Amino acid sequence: MSRTSELRRKTNETNIQLSINIDGEGSSNLETGVPFMTHMLDLFAKHGQFDLMIDAKGDVEIDDHHTTEDIGICLGQAINEALGDKRGIKRYGNSFVPMDEALAQVVVDLSNRPHLEMRAEFPNQKVGTFDTELVHEFLWKLALEARMNLHVIVHYGHNTHHMIEAVFKALARALDEATTIDPRIKGIPSTKGML
């Protein structure tokens, strides 16, 4: 069973082409126009063992908001499509990841009930030219479109780059766990019979 998805989203603000292979090798080919997001998505692919291709063009001359948000939308839709009816998956994933002085935890439920709960206070409003408030924007749109319950906790840290990097690595590992096929699971992992 191939768990892949490819999609395109074109608006007056962005033009995004994206593909993902859930059962990949961690390879990425990324052109986002937002250098910090490119770095985070490269980490996401590597640590989740996802093959990820993104070609995004957006109105970054205004700011990074539209591009970051729309990448979250596209990635969420692609993950949801690639997983299909979610038959046989573990469904839940949990990962703690340290990055030097920072520690992040991400917990995922691929429940078809989208929700983001985020507990993180970043010391700085920017990493380079990237507005750190866009981390929440990206994660909320990802959770919404992937139809997942996503809890993000940064337990501590004082370097904003390290804290966000730990979040993306933990997200990758938690999603990898949640999307893993478990041969013991017969059918849909829910007593309802559907997600």
Side-chain angles (χ1 to χ4, degrees):
M1 179 179 64
S2 174
R3 298 194 298 168
T4 61
S5 176
E6 184 173 340
L7 59 84
R8 185 167 196 160
R9 175 185 168 88
K10 190 176 189 318
T11 72
N12 290 334
E13 298 165 342
T14 63
N15 186 353
I16 298 172
Q17 188 171 351
L18 183 149
S19 67
I20 191 167
N21 178 1
I22 299 292
D23 305 306
E25 299 176 345
S27 67
S28 63
N29 182 1
L30 308 171
E31 294 289 340
T32 72
V34 182
F36 187 74
M37 276 306 295
T38 299
H39 179 39
M40 292 302 106
L41 291 165
D42 187 39
L43 297 168
F44 171 79
K46 186 70 169 176
H47 291 274
Q49 294 297 300
F50 308 124
D51 291 343
L52 182 63
M53 185 283 295
I54 301 174
D55 182 13
K57 295 174 179 60
D59 55 2
V60 293
E61 70 279 1
I62 296 171
D63 67 9
D64 297 335
H65 185 108
H66 296 142
T67 304
T68 301
E69 178 181 31
D70 285 9
I71 290 171
I73 290 170
C74 291
L75 182 57
Q77 289 175 350
I79 289 169
N80 191 47
E81 182 178 289
L83 290 175
D85 64 5
K86 303 182 176 80
R87 189 174 302 273
I89 65 167
K90 286 189 173 181
R91 178 179 161 178
Y92 299 98
N94 177 38
S95 180
F96 286 88
V97 169
M99 177 66 192
D100 294 351
E101 87 298 340
L103 179 66
Q105 179 184 13
V106 173
V107 185
V108 169
D109 177 9
L110 296 172
S111 61
N112 205 34
R113 292 189 307 276
H115 182 79
L116 171 64
E117 201 64 40
M118 186 167 173
R119 301 284 186 262
E121 294 183 18
F122 301 125
N124 295 309
Q125 293 182 340
K126 285 189 177 289
V127 175
T129 61
F130 184 80
D131 293 318
T132 56
E133 69 180 8
L134 293 180
V135 174
H136 184 278
E137 194 67 31
F138 172 84
L139 293 172
W140 165 230
K141 293 311 187 300
L142 177 71
L144 185 64
E145 298 296 337
R147 309 286 304 164
M148 69 178 165
N149 192 303
L150 176 60
H151 290 246
V152 177
I153 306 161
V154 178
H155 291 282
Y156 45 79
H158 57 77
N159 181 291
T160 302
H161 186 133
H162 292 168
M163 294 163 79
I164 297 171
E165 185 165 327
V167 166
F168 274 80
K169 288 177 177 176
L171 172 65
R173 293 179 64 86
L175 259 179
D176 183 42
E177 181 181 358
T179 58
T180 297
I181 300 290
D182 185 336
R184 298 172 301 168
I185 298 172
K186 308 303 179 195
I188 307 299
S190 171
T191 54
K192 295 183 180 73
M194 65 176 290
L195 288 170

